Amino acid sequence: MPMARFHTRSPIIVFLTVLFIVQVWKVSTHAVEDNVKFVELQTDVGDNSYGGVKAHIDCDKECNRRCSKASLHNRCLKYCRICCEKCNCVPPGTYGYGDVCPCYANLKNSKGGHKCP
């Protein structure tokens, strides 16, 4: 009898496993697309050694993306915009990636904590 139960649940386990793998693939693909878009936005216009100007990014759009999953959305947007205006960059994704935008990652608040979400 236990073998019959195992065989009836097996398709469910296979289905859930395949569903999990597809979801992981979607998330990883989305993260790669975010990184590519970020690199395109951060590309320098001209040669900085000769006074080239870095292209300005759309801080509202980038901060909406960055704060899309924040529980305190308005506070996240406020500080993200401050940091974006100062650094002219917002890291890809909704969290982390500070190494991509060191200025953004290294700004501190008055208490010494991270200023930028």
Side-chain angles (χ1 to χ4, degrees), residues 1-13:
M1 189 78 162
M3 290 299 274
R5 275 180 154 176
F6 179 74
H7 289 296
T8 58
R9 291 185 181 171
S10 180
I12 293 171
I13 292 171

Side-chain angles (χ1 to χ4, degrees), residues 67 73-83:
C67 297
H73 188 72
N74 289 337
R75 182 182 292 176
C76 180
L77 286 174
K78 174 184 175 181
Y79 289 105
C80 180
R81 287 180 183 134
I82 291 169
C83 297

Side-chain angles (χ1 to χ4, degrees), residues 94-111:
T94 55
Y95 183 80
Y97 295 104
D99 57 323
V100 179
C101 185
C103 171
Y104 187 97
N106 295 328
L107 286 177
K108 304 291 183 197
N109 62 22
S110 60
K111 296 179 182 176

Side-chain angles (χ1 to χ4, degrees), residues 26-117:
K26 280 183 176 180
V27 168
S28 65
T29 303
H30 186 66
V32 168
E33 288 172 358
D34 277 351
N35 284 337
V36 169
K37 288 177 186 172
F38 177 77
V39 170
E40 288 172 354
L41 285 172
Q42 298 300 315
T43 302
D44 286 342
V45 177
D47 182 353
N48 281 338
S49 61
Y50 295 104
V53 178
K54 192 168 191 173
H56 287 282
I57 64 170
D58 182 352
C59 289
D60 286 337
K61 178 181 174 185
E62 290 304 308
C63 287
N64 276 320
R65 175 194 48 77
R66 180 77 172 175
C67 297
S68 64
K69 295 182 181 178
S71 57
L72 299 172
H73 188 72
N74 289 337
R75 182 182 292 176
C76 180
L77 286 174
K78 174 184 175 181
Y79 289 105
C80 180
R81 287 180 183 134
I82 291 169
C83 297
C84 178
E85 291 295 325
K86 184 170 180 107
C87 298
N88 194 37
C89 68
V90 177
T94 55
Y95 183 80
Y97 295 104
D99 57 323
V100 179
C101 185
C103 171
Y104 187 97
N106 295 328
L107 286 177
K108 304 291 183 197
N109 62 22
S110 60
K111 296 179 182 176
H114 293 289
K115 181 178 192 119
C116 310

